[in-house]
Amino acid sequence: MSGIYIHIPFCKQACYYCNFYFSTSLKKKTELLDCLAKEIVLRKEELNNDVVETIYFGGGTPSILSTQEINNLIEAVYENFKVIDNPEITLEANPDDLSEEKIKELAASKINRLSIGVQSFFERDLKLMNRAHNAEESKKCLEIATQYFSNISVDLIYGIPDCSNEQWTENIHTALSYGVPHISSYALTVEPDTALERFIDKGVIKNVDDDKAEEQFLILTDELNAAGFIHYELSNFGKEDFFSKNNSAYWLGKSYLGIGPAAHSFDGVQRSWNVQNNTKYIKNILENELPIQREVLSVTDRYNEYVMTGLRTIWGVSLQRVESEFGKNYAKYLQMQAQKYIDQELLFIEDEVLKTTRKGKFLSDGLASDLFMLNLK
């Protein structure tokens, strides 16, 4: 089973914290959409007849497209790949794009999952992040969307400067009040070369407080656990049967094909990525050339990726899989490196699987990096 990711590199405006690839100019939208459909055709042999179980529209802001434009791309996938009978088809959407009419149109399409970028229900937070929507639009769109879609994910951001723990708890409770079965939540991160970094450097916006972010992460895990959600990945919480199949495939090392500028692909051994430039992407595709760079992963690279993704999830890192797939030296090294964190109660081993404790979850990326193999002779 494989997945297809389609990157829509357009947004109405730039969020201050975002470092994903996108353009706020829609001048080349029609041309680029034609090229997305053409890239799907050009790459139809790459999955080796594997069956597609997920289609994911990410960005950028995919909901900026009309429903017909989205449907055209879905049809291009169906025409060129084998697709299971009931695939998970997700559309990332911003609340300001989700009018009742648009929601009804999407519900009548093959889209069966919405991932809605709410981020916060407080106006001050939304303005600080330069989001295109307001809190009222978020509430209205959730009220309507939950009438037409049973599979909805809400994005929330914690660790926002001046957002108290009480306000953060209110954000969580507001999202839960709509009965959504999935929540993705991320710490506000100061990425290089973003407006947020520049505003912090100038003292316009307070810097992110890592201790406050960790407090709010623990509040999040406790509140969602009490509400019946399963914390299946560091930033993702779902009710039973509502885990994101698309994202779970990434973390479990399944193959996926990335379509569009800046989109990444993985076939189990090789990683590839498209050029991060709309103009160059269009030029290459029109010339029947794939604007791709490729990297063959070494055994060490694949071990490091497995440790990184595994520690972020409830599935953990299987010591038996490390030994069988990468070798005894890797398994021995992993256990040796992990022991100090087991002693600190940040990691634990259960049924030959290495996992993070409640205390270690927030630190999982840092812990993973210390378990990486740098050079094995």
Side-chain angles (χ1 to χ4, degrees), residues 61-103:
T61 310
S63 56
I64 210 167
L65 301 184
S66 71
T67 306
Q68 186 57 57
E69 288 168 335
I70 294 164
N71 286 340
N72 290 344
L73 292 171
I74 294 173
E75 288 311 311
V77 171
Y78 271 79
E79 286 167 10
N80 291 280
F81 295 92
K82 293 178 183 174
V83 182
I84 63 170
D85 286 344
N86 188 30
E88 176 190 270
I89 306 183
T90 303
L91 180 78
E92 286 185 356
N94 278 352
D96 47 299
D97 293 326
L98 294 180
S99 64
E100 184 163 9
E101 182 184 359
K102 181 74 167 276
I103 290 167

mmCIF file of all heavy atoms in Angstrom, residues 61-103:
data_model
loop_
_atom_site.group_PDB
_atom_site.id
_atom_site.type_symbol
_atom_site.label_atom_id
_atom_site.label_comp_id
_atom_site.label_asym_id
_atom_site.label_seq_id
_atom_site.Cartn_x
_atom_site.Cartn_y
_atom_site.Cartn_z
ATOM 1 N N THR A 61 -1.960 26.163 0.940
ATOM 2 C CA THR A 61 -3.363 26.099 1.365
ATOM 3 C C THR A 61 -4.186 25.461 0.252
ATOM 4 O O THR A 61 -4.695 26.154 -0.632
ATOM 5 C CB THR A 61 -3.897 27.520 1.674
ATOM 6 O OG1 THR A 61 -2.995 28.203 2.545
ATOM 7 C CG2 THR A 61 -5.266 27.430 2.342
ATOM 8 N N PRO A 62 -4.338 24.132 0.264
ATOM 9 C CA PRO A 62 -5.086 23.453 -0.800
ATOM 10 C C PRO A 62 -6.534 23.921 -0.929
ATOM 11 O O PRO A 62 -7.098 23.884 -2.025
ATOM 12 C CB PRO A 62 -5.030 21.979 -0.383
ATOM 13 C CG PRO A 62 -3.827 21.881 0.480
ATOM 14 C CD PRO A 62 -3.724 23.183 1.199
ATOM 15 N N SER A 63 -7.128 24.391 0.175
ATOM 16 C CA SER A 63 -8.534 24.821 0.117
ATOM 17 C C SER A 63 -8.711 26.107 -0.675
ATOM 18 O O SER A 63 -9.839 26.548 -0.921
ATOM 19 C CB SER A 63 -9.104 24.991 1.531
ATOM 20 O OG SER A 63 -8.319 25.899 2.286
ATOM 21 N N ILE A 64 -7.604 26.702 -1.112
ATOM 22 C CA ILE A 64 -7.677 27.890 -1.966
ATOM 23 C C ILE A 64 -8.179 27.495 -3.363
ATOM 24 O O ILE A 64 -8.667 28.328 -4.127
ATOM 25 C CB ILE A 64 -6.284 28.574 -2.029
ATOM 26 C CG1 ILE A 64 -6.403 30.079 -2.217
ATOM 27 C CG2 ILE A 64 -5.399 27.961 -3.089
ATOM 28 C CD1 ILE A 64 -5.105 30.830 -1.977
ATOM 29 N N LEU A 65 -8.066 26.204 -3.700
ATOM 30 C CA LEU A 65 -8.524 25.706 -4.996
ATOM 31 C C LEU A 65 -10.036 25.537 -5.004
ATOM 32 O O LEU A 65 -10.664 25.331 -3.957
ATOM 33 C CB LEU A 65 -7.889 24.349 -5.304
ATOM 34 C CG LEU A 65 -6.365 24.259 -5.351
ATOM 35 C CD1 LEU A 65 -5.951 22.841 -5.762
ATOM 36 C CD2 LEU A 65 -5.761 25.278 -6.293
ATOM 37 N N SER A 66 -10.619 25.571 -6.193
ATOM 38 C CA SER A 66 -12.041 25.259 -6.320
ATOM 39 C C SER A 66 -12.212 23.748 -6.180
ATOM 40 O O SER A 66 -11.266 22.981 -6.379
ATOM 41 C CB SER A 66 -12.573 25.707 -7.690
ATOM 42 O OG SER A 66 -12.048 24.869 -8.713
ATOM 43 N N THR A 67 -13.420 23.321 -5.853
ATOM 44 C CA THR A 67 -13.685 21.888 -5.721
ATOM 45 C C THR A 67 -13.437 21.180 -7.044
ATOM 46 O O THR A 67 -12.923 20.054 -7.067
ATOM 47 C CB THR A 67 -15.129 21.656 -5.237
ATOM 48 O OG1 THR A 67 -15.336 22.406 -4.034
ATOM 49 C CG2 THR A 67 -15.382 20.188 -4.958
ATOM 50 N N GLN A 68 -13.759 21.816 -8.152
ATOM 51 C CA GLN A 68 -13.538 21.210 -9.468
ATOM 52 C C GLN A 68 -12.040 21.001 -9.719
ATOM 53 O O GLN A 68 -11.633 19.955 -10.252
ATOM 54 C CB GLN A 68 -14.142 22.071 -10.575
ATOM 55 C CG GLN A 68 -14.076 21.436 -11.966
ATOM 56 C CD GLN A 68 -14.759 20.071 -12.007
ATOM 57 O OE1 GLN A 68 -15.934 19.950 -11.670
ATOM 58 N NE2 GLN A 68 -14.016 19.032 -12.393
ATOM 59 N N GLU A 69 -11.225 21.969 -9.338
ATOM 60 C CA GLU A 69 -9.771 21.837 -9.517
ATOM 61 C C GLU A 69 -9.231 20.670 -8.684
ATOM 62 O O GLU A 69 -8.356 19.917 -9.139
ATOM 63 C CB GLU A 69 -9.079 23.140 -9.131
ATOM 64 C CG GLU A 69 -9.308 24.261 -10.145
ATOM 65 C CD GLU A 69 -8.873 25.635 -9.651
ATOM 66 O OE1 GLU A 69 -8.831 25.856 -8.413
ATOM 67 O OE2 GLU A 69 -8.596 26.500 -10.505
ATOM 68 N N ILE A 70 -9.756 20.510 -7.482
ATOM 69 C CA ILE A 70 -9.355 19.390 -6.619
ATOM 70 C C ILE A 70 -9.799 18.070 -7.248
ATOM 71 O O ILE A 70 -9.030 17.108 -7.331
ATOM 72 C CB ILE A 70 -9.960 19.556 -5.202
ATOM 73 C CG1 ILE A 70 -9.352 20.784 -4.508
ATOM 74 C CG2 ILE A 70 -9.744 18.295 -4.367
ATOM 75 C CD1 ILE A 70 -10.128 21.263 -3.301
ATOM 76 N N ASN A 71 -11.043 18.041 -7.711
ATOM 77 C CA ASN A 71 -11.574 16.820 -8.333
ATOM 78 C C ASN A 71 -10.760 16.397 -9.560
ATOM 79 O O ASN A 71 -10.545 15.202 -9.797
ATOM 80 C CB ASN A 71 -13.039 17.022 -8.741
ATOM 81 C CG ASN A 71 -13.975 17.013 -7.554
ATOM 82 O OD1 ASN A 71 -13.629 16.498 -6.486
ATOM 83 N ND2 ASN A 71 -15.162 17.569 -7.719
ATOM 84 N N ASN A 72 -10.314 17.377 -10.336
ATOM 85 C CA ASN A 72 -9.517 17.069 -11.527
ATOM 86 C C ASN A 72 -8.235 16.313 -11.155
ATOM 87 O O ASN A 72 -7.820 15.369 -11.841
ATOM 88 C CB ASN A 72 -9.153 18.344 -12.281
ATOM 89 C CG ASN A 72 -10.355 18.990 -12.950
ATOM 90 O OD1 ASN A 72 -11.401 18.367 -13.106
ATOM 91 N ND2 ASN A 72 -10.221 20.253 -13.331
ATOM 92 N N LEU A 73 -7.601 16.747 -10.075
ATOM 93 C CA LEU A 73 -6.363 16.097 -9.640
ATOM 94 C C LEU A 73 -6.636 14.705 -9.068
ATOM 95 O O LEU A 73 -5.869 13.764 -9.290
ATOM 96 C CB LEU A 73 -5.640 16.979 -8.601
ATOM 97 C CG LEU A 73 -5.074 18.285 -9.161
ATOM 98 C CD1 LEU A 73 -4.589 19.192 -8.040
ATOM 99 C CD2 LEU A 73 -3.922 18.000 -10.138
ATOM 100 N N ILE A 74 -7.734 14.562 -8.341
ATOM 101 C CA ILE A 74 -8.104 13.242 -7.825
ATOM 102 C C ILE A 74 -8.352 12.279 -8.988
ATOM 103 O O ILE A 74 -7.888 11.132 -8.982
ATOM 104 C CB ILE A 74 -9.356 13.325 -6.920
ATOM 105 C CG1 ILE A 74 -9.034 14.119 -5.641
ATOM 106 C CG2 ILE A 74 -9.849 11.922 -6.550
ATOM 107 C CD1 ILE A 74 -10.245 14.410 -4.762
ATOM 108 N N GLU A 75 -9.050 12.758 -10.009
ATOM 109 C CA GLU A 75 -9.330 11.915 -11.175
ATOM 110 C C GLU A 75 -8.045 11.516 -11.887
ATOM 111 O O GLU A 75 -7.918 10.390 -12.381
ATOM 112 C CB GLU A 75 -10.283 12.621 -12.138
ATOM 113 C CG GLU A 75 -11.712 12.713 -11.629
ATOM 114 C CD GLU A 75 -12.261 11.380 -11.126
ATOM 115 O OE1 GLU A 75 -12.124 10.370 -11.861
ATOM 116 O OE2 GLU A 75 -12.790 11.340 -9.995
ATOM 117 N N ALA A 76 -7.078 12.436 -11.929
ATOM 118 C CA ALA A 76 -5.787 12.117 -12.567
ATOM 119 C C ALA A 76 -5.097 10.975 -11.821
ATOM 120 O O ALA A 76 -4.475 10.094 -12.443
ATOM 121 C CB ALA A 76 -4.889 13.352 -12.597
ATOM 122 N N VAL A 77 -5.205 10.970 -10.495
ATOM 123 C CA VAL A 77 -4.635 9.865 -9.704
ATOM 124 C C VAL A 77 -5.352 8.561 -10.039
ATOM 125 O O VAL A 77 -4.724 7.520 -10.298
ATOM 126 C CB VAL A 77 -4.725 10.163 -8.187
ATOM 127 C CG1 VAL A 77 -4.329 8.928 -7.369
ATOM 128 C CG2 VAL A 77 -3.844 11.349 -7.817
ATOM 129 N N TYR A 78 -6.683 8.590 -10.061
ATOM 130 C CA TYR A 78 -7.468 7.385 -10.359
ATOM 131 C C TYR A 78 -7.172 6.840 -11.760
ATOM 132 O O TYR A 78 -7.169 5.628 -11.971
ATOM 133 C CB TYR A 78 -8.962 7.682 -10.221
ATOM 134 C CG TYR A 78 -9.499 7.462 -8.819
ATOM 135 C CD1 TYR A 78 -9.309 8.406 -7.822
ATOM 136 C CD2 TYR A 78 -10.200 6.296 -8.502
ATOM 137 C CE1 TYR A 78 -9.799 8.205 -6.538
ATOM 138 C CE2 TYR A 78 -10.700 6.081 -7.231
ATOM 139 C CZ TYR A 78 -10.495 7.044 -6.243
ATOM 140 O OH TYR A 78 -10.973 6.826 -4.982
ATOM 141 N N GLU A 79 -6.914 7.739 -12.697
ATOM 142 C CA GLU A 79 -6.668 7.305 -14.075
ATOM 143 C C GLU A 79 -5.288 6.665 -14.262
ATOM 144 O O GLU A 79 -5.078 5.895 -15.201
ATOM 145 C CB GLU A 79 -6.806 8.496 -15.027
ATOM 146 C CG GLU A 79 -8.247 8.935 -15.247
ATOM 147 C CD GLU A 79 -8.340 10.305 -15.925
ATOM 148 O OE1 GLU A 79 -7.287 10.801 -16.387
ATOM 149 O OE2 GLU A 79 -9.451 10.873 -15.980
ATOM 150 N N ASN A 80 -4.358 7.004 -13.368
ATOM 151 C CA ASN A 80 -2.977 6.570 -13.566
ATOM 152 C C ASN A 80 -2.450 5.586 -12.528
ATOM 153 O O ASN A 80 -1.354 5.042 -12.689
ATOM 154 C CB ASN A 80 -2.059 7.797 -13.631
ATOM 155 C CG ASN A 80 -2.278 8.617 -14.884
ATOM 156 O OD1 ASN A 80 -1.773 8.270 -15.946
ATOM 157 N ND2 ASN A 80 -3.069 9.687 -14.771
ATOM 158 N N PHE A 81 -3.189 5.362 -11.455
ATOM 159 C CA PHE A 81 -2.756 4.447 -10.399
ATOM 160 C C PHE A 81 -3.902 3.535 -9.986
ATOM 161 O O PHE A 81 -5.075 3.862 -10.186
ATOM 162 C CB PHE A 81 -2.272 5.232 -9.167
ATOM 163 C CG PHE A 81 -1.038 6.061 -9.408
ATOM 164 C CD1 PHE A 81 -1.141 7.389 -9.796
ATOM 165 C CD2 PHE A 81 0.219 5.506 -9.259
ATOM 166 C CE1 PHE A 81 -0.012 8.153 -10.028
ATOM 167 C CE2 PHE A 81 1.364 6.258 -9.489
ATOM 168 C CZ PHE A 81 1.247 7.583 -9.876
ATOM 169 N N LYS A 82 -3.555 2.402 -9.389
ATOM 170 C CA LYS A 82 -4.562 1.546 -8.775
ATOM 171 C C LYS A 82 -4.891 2.140 -7.408
ATOM 172 O O LYS A 82 -3.988 2.392 -6.603
ATOM 173 C CB LYS A 82 -4.018 0.134 -8.590
ATOM 174 C CG LYS A 82 -3.756 -0.617 -9.880
ATOM 175 C CD LYS A 82 -3.169 -1.987 -9.568
ATOM 176 C CE LYS A 82 -2.836 -2.722 -10.862
ATOM 177 N NZ LYS A 82 -2.137 -4.004 -10.583
ATOM 178 N N VAL A 83 -6.173 2.365 -7.149
ATOM 179 C CA VAL A 83 -6.607 2.983 -5.893
ATOM 180 C C VAL A 83 -7.578 2.032 -5.186
ATOM 181 O O VAL A 83 -8.457 1.451 -5.834
ATOM 182 C CB VAL A 83 -7.300 4.352 -6.149
ATOM 183 C CG1 VAL A 83 -7.706 5.011 -4.842
ATOM 184 C CG2 VAL A 83 -6.380 5.276 -6.953
ATOM 185 N N ILE A 84 -7.424 1.854 -3.874
ATOM 186 C CA ILE A 84 -8.333 0.968 -3.137
ATOM 187 C C ILE A 84 -9.761 1.529 -3.173
ATOM 188 O O ILE A 84 -9.977 2.691 -3.492
ATOM 189 C CB ILE A 84 -7.888 0.761 -1.670
ATOM 190 C CG1 ILE A 84 -7.909 2.084 -0.876
ATOM 191 C CG2 ILE A 84 -6.529 0.099 -1.592
ATOM 192 C CD1 ILE A 84 -7.718 1.903 0.606
ATOM 193 N N ASP A 85 -10.721 0.679 -2.833
ATOM 194 C CA ASP A 85 -12.135 1.064 -2.942
ATOM 195 C C ASP A 85 -12.500 2.276 -2.101
ATOM 196 O O ASP A 85 -13.273 3.121 -2.527
ATOM 197 C CB ASP A 85 -13.029 -0.116 -2.543
ATOM 198 C CG ASP A 85 -13.053 -1.176 -3.635
ATOM 199 O OD1 ASP A 85 -12.651 -0.860 -4.763
ATOM 200 O OD2 ASP A 85 -13.453 -2.315 -3.340
ATOM 201 N N ASN A 86 -11.957 2.378 -0.886
ATOM 202 C CA ASN A 86 -12.331 3.497 -0.022
ATOM 203 C C ASN A 86 -11.078 4.167 0.547
ATOM 204 O O ASN A 86 -10.781 4.051 1.731
ATOM 205 C CB ASN A 86 -13.240 3.006 1.115
ATOM 206 C CG ASN A 86 -13.811 4.161 1.920
ATOM 207 O OD1 ASN A 86 -14.019 5.254 1.394
ATOM 208 N ND2 ASN A 86 -14.041 3.931 3.201
ATOM 209 N N PRO A 87 -10.344 4.900 -0.304
ATOM 210 C CA PRO A 87 -9.106 5.526 0.167
ATOM 211 C C PRO A 87 -9.389 6.690 1.105
ATOM 212 O O PRO A 87 -10.451 7.305 1.040
ATOM 213 C CB PRO A 87 -8.459 6.029 -1.127
ATOM 214 C CG PRO A 87 -9.627 6.338 -2.007
ATOM 215 C CD PRO A 87 -10.648 5.282 -1.693
ATOM 216 N N GLU A 88 -8.438 6.965 1.977
ATOM 217 C CA GLU A 88 -8.516 8.189 2.780
ATOM 218 C C GLU A 88 -8.018 9.336 1.898
ATOM 219 O O GLU A 88 -6.881 9.319 1.435
ATOM 220 C CB GLU A 88 -7.628 8.054 4.019
ATOM 221 C CG GLU A 88 -7.562 9.321 4.868
ATOM 222 C CD GLU A 88 -6.501 9.233 5.946
ATOM 223 O OE1 GLU A 88 -6.815 8.769 7.060
ATOM 224 O OE2 GLU A 88 -5.343 9.632 5.677
ATOM 225 N N ILE A 89 -8.891 10.316 1.647
ATOM 226 C CA ILE A 89 -8.511 11.471 0.819
ATOM 227 C C ILE A 89 -8.683 12.734 1.669
ATOM 228 O O ILE A 89 -9.806 13.130 1.991
ATOM 229 C CB ILE A 89 -9.346 11.557 -0.473
ATOM 230 C CG1 ILE A 89 -9.270 10.237 -1.256
ATOM 231 C CG2 ILE A 89 -8.848 12.722 -1.341
ATOM 232 C CD1 ILE A 89 -9.997 10.245 -2.586
ATOM 233 N N THR A 90 -7.555 13.323 2.036
ATOM 234 C CA THR A 90 -7.530 14.454 2.972
ATOM 235 C C THR A 90 -7.269 15.762 2.250
ATOM 236 O O THR A 90 -6.404 15.837 1.373
ATOM 237 C CB THR A 90 -6.431 14.243 4.035
ATOM 238 O OG1 THR A 90 -6.650 13.013 4.721
ATOM 239 C CG2 THR A 90 -6.404 15.395 5.041
ATOM 240 N N LEU A 91 -7.976 16.789 2.667
ATOM 241 C CA LEU A 91 -7.725 18.151 2.188
ATOM 242 C C LEU A 91 -7.368 19.033 3.376
ATOM 243 O O LEU A 91 -8.162 19.172 4.312
ATOM 244 C CB LEU A 91 -8.965 18.726 1.494
ATOM 245 C CG LEU A 91 -8.809 20.156 0.958
ATOM 246 C CD1 LEU A 91 -8.027 20.159 -0.355
ATOM 247 C CD2 LEU A 91 -10.171 20.826 0.750
ATOM 248 N N GLU A 92 -6.160 19.609 3.350
ATOM 249 C CA GLU A 92 -5.834 20.642 4.333
ATOM 250 C C GLU A 92 -6.618 21.892 3.965
ATOM 251 O O GLU A 92 -6.676 22.271 2.789
ATOM 252 C CB GLU A 92 -4.339 20.950 4.325
ATOM 253 C CG GLU A 92 -3.489 19.871 4.958
ATOM 254 C CD GLU A 92 -2.015 20.257 5.033
ATOM 255 O OE1 GLU A 92 -1.652 21.343 4.514
ATOM 256 O OE2 GLU A 92 -1.231 19.490 5.603
ATOM 257 N N ALA A 93 -7.230 22.531 4.968
ATOM 258 C CA ALA A 93 -8.109 23.669 4.671
ATOM 259 C C ALA A 93 -7.984 24.733 5.749
ATOM 260 O O ALA A 93 -7.773 24.422 6.931
ATOM 261 C CB ALA A 93 -9.560 23.201 4.581
ATOM 262 N N ASN A 94 -8.117 25.986 5.336
ATOM 263 C CA ASN A 94 -8.190 27.092 6.283
ATOM 264 C C ASN A 94 -9.649 27.479 6.508
ATOM 265 O O ASN A 94 -10.455 27.433 5.557
ATOM 266 C CB ASN A 94 -7.405 28.297 5.767
ATOM 267 C CG ASN A 94 -5.916 28.176 6.063
ATOM 268 O OD1 ASN A 94 -5.492 27.272 6.776
ATOM 269 N ND2 ASN A 94 -5.130 29.072 5.501
ATOM 270 N N PRO A 95 -10.011 27.871 7.723
ATOM 271 C CA PRO A 95 -11.411 28.181 8.023
ATOM 272 C C PRO A 95 -12.039 29.222 7.101
ATOM 273 O O PRO A 95 -13.214 29.124 6.758
ATOM 274 C CB PRO A 95 -11.345 28.688 9.470
ATOM 275 C CG PRO A 95 -10.161 27.999 10.053
ATOM 276 C CD PRO A 95 -9.163 27.942 8.937
ATOM 277 N N ASP A 96 -11.253 30.228 6.671
ATOM 278 C CA ASP A 96 -11.810 31.292 5.839
ATOM 279 C C ASP A 96 -12.183 30.810 4.432
ATOM 280 O O ASP A 96 -12.918 31.497 3.716
ATOM 281 C CB ASP A 96 -10.826 32.470 5.741
ATOM 282 C CG ASP A 96 -9.412 32.028 5.439
ATOM 283 O OD1 ASP A 96 -8.865 31.274 6.257
ATOM 284 O OD2 ASP A 96 -8.857 32.417 4.400
ATOM 285 N N ASP A 97 -11.695 29.617 4.046
ATOM 286 C CA ASP A 97 -12.066 29.059 2.738
ATOM 287 C C ASP A 97 -13.310 28.177 2.817
ATOM 288 O O ASP A 97 -13.878 27.812 1.776
ATOM 289 C CB ASP A 97 -10.916 28.203 2.170
ATOM 290 C CG ASP A 97 -9.692 29.034 1.809
ATOM 291 O OD1 ASP A 97 -9.877 30.187 1.373
ATOM 292 O OD2 ASP A 97 -8.570 28.531 1.966
ATOM 293 N N LEU A 98 -13.701 27.811 4.032
ATOM 294 C CA LEU A 98 -14.756 26.808 4.193
ATOM 295 C C LEU A 98 -16.122 27.433 4.444
ATOM 296 O O LEU A 98 -16.680 27.359 5.545
ATOM 297 C CB LEU A 98 -14.389 25.827 5.313
ATOM 298 C CG LEU A 98 -13.175 24.935 5.037
ATOM 299 C CD1 LEU A 98 -12.904 24.011 6.209
ATOM 300 C CD2 LEU A 98 -13.363 24.124 3.744
ATOM 301 N N SER A 99 -16.693 28.022 3.411
ATOM 302 C CA SER A 99 -18.078 28.481 3.486
ATOM 303 C C SER A 99 -18.980 27.255 3.482
ATOM 304 O O SER A 99 -18.546 26.140 3.147
ATOM 305 C CB SER A 99 -18.408 29.357 2.274
ATOM 306 O OG SER A 99 -18.314 28.565 1.081
ATOM 307 N N GLU A 100 -20.242 27.435 3.808
ATOM 308 C CA GLU A 100 -21.162 26.299 3.800
ATOM 309 C C GLU A 100 -21.265 25.701 2.393
ATOM 310 O O GLU A 100 -21.296 24.487 2.227
ATOM 311 C CB GLU A 100 -22.550 26.717 4.312
ATOM 312 C CG GLU A 100 -23.511 25.536 4.406
ATOM 313 C CD GLU A 100 -24.733 25.818 5.267
ATOM 314 O OE1 GLU A 100 -24.938 26.975 5.674
ATOM 315 O OE2 GLU A 100 -25.486 24.869 5.530
ATOM 316 N N GLU A 101 -21.299 26.555 1.398
ATOM 317 C CA GLU A 101 -21.381 26.076 0.015
ATOM 318 C C GLU A 101 -20.164 25.230 -0.350
ATOM 319 O O GLU A 101 -20.284 24.155 -0.948
ATOM 320 C CB GLU A 101 -21.491 27.280 -0.940
ATOM 321 C CG GLU A 101 -21.637 26.880 -2.393
ATOM 322 C CD GLU A 101 -21.635 28.079 -3.332
ATOM 323 O OE1 GLU A 101 -21.541 29.230 -2.838
ATOM 324 O OE2 GLU A 101 -21.709 27.871 -4.554
ATOM 325 N N LYS A 102 -18.959 25.710 0.048
ATOM 326 C CA LYS A 102 -17.720 24.968 -0.265
ATOM 327 C C LYS A 102 -17.703 23.626 0.472
ATOM 328 O O LYS A 102 -17.315 22.592 -0.103
ATOM 329 C CB LYS A 102 -16.508 25.822 0.145
ATOM 330 C CG LYS A 102 -15.135 25.204 -0.137
ATOM 331 C CD LYS A 102 -14.791 25.241 -1.607
ATOM 332 C CE LYS A 102 -13.327 24.916 -1.848
ATOM 333 N NZ LYS A 102 -12.432 26.060 -1.704
ATOM 334 N N ILE A 103 -18.135 23.622 1.717
ATOM 335 C CA ILE A 103 -18.163 22.379 2.496
ATOM 336 C C ILE A 103 -19.108 21.366 1.848
ATOM 337 O O ILE A 103 -18.781 20.181 1.729
ATOM 338 C CB ILE A 103 -18.565 22.659 3.961
ATOM 339 C CG1 ILE A 103 -17.437 23.415 4.680
ATOM 340 C CG2 ILE A 103 -18.889 21.360 4.711
ATOM 341 C CD1 ILE A 103 -17.822 24.006 6.020
#
